[in-house]
Amino acid sequence: MPILHTIYLLLLAVTLAGVTLASLLGFLGRLWWIFDLFSHFRLQYAVLSLICTLGFLLGGEPVGFFISFGFGLLNLALLYPLYRRKSTRPQSATTYRILSANILGSNADYAQIAQMLDQEKPDIALIVEYDHHHDQGLKQVVAEFPYYFLIPRQDNYGLALLSRLPLASTEAVMLNDDQIPVLVARVEIQGCPVTIIGSHPPPPKRKWMSSMRDRQMLALAHLAAQQSGEVILLGDFNATPWSYSYRDLLQQSKLLDSRIGFGVQATWPAHFPLLKVPIDQILHSAGISITSLSTGCACGSDHHPLIAEFCLQPNIFLREKNKN
């Protein structure tokens, strides 16, 4: 059976070579926008590397074993922060639910969208890719929320905010010349001012679109950093936690990733489970504690909604501000 064994090892080697190359290219996104596309699949790289590790072990090939094991550990190290449990969690506090859902601009399955919102029962919901036809199709759904702010558009950059909490103010702002609206709303929760920022940076399908995404992310970071009180920034960012653009956003905004302690929670593409990556995000300031995070039904979209439960810890926020 030496021929079969050789073919077996060759298939493993080709798979490992592809995973190794893709893993390394994912670190070079600043050099070329296409390289950044390889940064998003760290979970898939880790799984494939560990499969190769087992395969080389069974095939008696030590070199392949150590290489695949090394790249498996590399990608697991990048995944680890998302699974690291938080050191402190509130003992007892009032919790609120916030949802971010890209419903797909062409999606006319209004009943599924309504069912999703009814099942999840968010206190605050950001709807991404809110089109003009959704104004009519979701009129009854919107009316079930006492407060809302709608920015319908036909270019997949429409947004809608639905809230059971009173909205102190709402506005649509353009952060740069790209004319992509950002939704900014302010609420007061238990006496604390909270700014809700919703956005949908462009997908990096071309070089110019990747540049637009990066400009939008940078502008969002500056906007979030300028706010007083608590901040929640959410939406479809078209970037995962391993993209340089996303890391820059976290660093410059000083916001926290809601996924920390809750895992990858992949949201897109909904219909291809093996390729799913976490591009829908909910970020928050230090005075907000995330108590749970999950994904919901895709409701006719190519995205799963991301749902977080949170409570306020204003004392932590104030201590962080004083440190700075």
Side-chain angles (χ1 to χ4, degrees):
M1 306 286 282
I3 296 179
L4 290 180
H5 186 260
T6 300
I7 294 174
Y8 169 79
L9 291 179
L10 181 60
L11 290 175
L12 284 175
V14 170
T15 302
L16 177 59
V19 171
T20 301
L21 179 61
S23 295
L24 293 176
L25 290 178
F27 293 107
L28 304 177
R30 294 186 193 276
L31 299 180
W32 191 26
W33 68 276
I34 289 181
F35 289 165
D36 188 52
L37 299 178
F38 290 96
S39 71
H40 306 311
F41 302 94
R42 294 298 175 186
L43 177 60
Q44 288 84 348
Y45 299 155
V47 171
L48 286 173
S49 295
L50 295 177
I51 290 174
C52 288
T53 300
L54 179 60
F56 281 119
L57 177 64
L58 296 175
E61 179 53 57
V63 175
F65 170 82
F66 284 111
I67 294 175
S68 56
F69 185 65
F71 276 94
L73 288 181
L74 171 65
N75 287 290
L76 285 175
L78 296 173
L79 292 169
Y80 171 71
L82 300 183
Y83 291 90
R84 185 179 64 240
R85 301 303 293 175
K86 299 174 184 177
S87 57
T88 58
R89 289 186 182 276
Q91 296 296 321
S92 61
T94 302
T95 60
Y96 303 87
R97 287 174 69 82
I98 187 166
L99 175 148
S100 176
N102 183 329
I103 60 172
L104 187 64
S106 60
N107 185 7
D109 198 338
Y110 311 122
Q112 277 205 60
I113 299 172
Q115 184 179 18
M116 180 269 293
L117 289 170
D118 183 61
Q119 288 178 344
E120 301 299 343
K121 295 180 170 50
D123 297 293
I124 299 172
L126 176 74
I127 306 300
V128 178
E129 295 197 15
Y130 186 82
D131 206 320
H132 289 281
H133 69 89
H134 293 127
D135 266 338
Q136 292 300 317
L138 297 176
K139 182 182 293 186
Q140 185 174 349
V141 175
V142 170
E144 292 178 0
F145 289 82
Y147 310 95
Y148 52 86
F149 180 51
L150 311 178
I151 313 171
R153 285 172 59 128
Q154 294 177 323
D155 57 3
N156 288 340
Y157 296 117
L159 300 166
L161 187 71
L162 314 178
S163 177
R164 304 188 193 282
L165 305 175
L167 299 176
S169 66
T170 56
E171 59 180 327
V173 299
M174 304 291 181
L175 299 181
N176 49 48
D177 294 336
D178 295 326
Q179 296 299 302
I180 298 173
V182 173
L183 188 154
V184 181
R186 294 173 178 86
V187 300
E188 189 171 288
I189 303 176
Q190 296 177 328
C192 268
V194 179
T195 301
I196 309 294
I197 303 174
S199 184
H200 183 204
K205 296 179 179 180
R206 301 284 188 277
K207 180 180 179 180
W208 63 271
M209 295 182 76
S210 180
S211 297
M212 285 177 65
R213 182 202 64 179
D214 294 350
R215 286 194 297 270
Q216 187 79 349
M217 298 274 273
L218 181 62
L220 286 170
H222 292 162
L223 176 64
Q226 293 168 0
Q227 304 305 311
S228 58
E230 308 295 352
V231 176
I232 299 177
L233 171 58
L234 70 166
D236 170 10
F237 290 178
N238 281 301
T240 64
W242 312 290
S243 169
Y244 71 88
S245 182
Y246 187 81
R247 296 196 305 271
D248 289 348
L249 170 61
L250 287 180
Q251 182 179 16
Q252 297 188 37
S253 67
K254 307 301 182 186
L255 296 179
L256 305 174
D257 190 338
S258 64
R259 281 186 169 84
I260 300 298
F262 298 102
V264 171
Q265 303 287 350
T267 57
W268 177 91
H271 307 304
F272 298 95
L274 296 179
L275 296 177
K276 281 200 297 189
V277 292
I279 64 173
D280 296 271
Q281 314 295 347
I282 298 177
L283 310 182
H284 60 96
S285 55
I288 290 175
S289 177
I290 303 298
T291 59
S292 75
L293 188 77
S294 61
T295 59
C297 173
C299 65
S301 173
D302 56 344
H303 288 247
H304 293 280
L306 187 65
I307 308 107
E309 291 190 357
F310 70 93
C311 63
L312 295 179
Q313 291 184 292
N315 290 336
I316 292 178
F317 174 73
L318 291 174
R319 285 199 298 269
E320 292 296 324
K321 284 193 70 176
N322 291 334
K323 286 180 184 178
N324 296 330

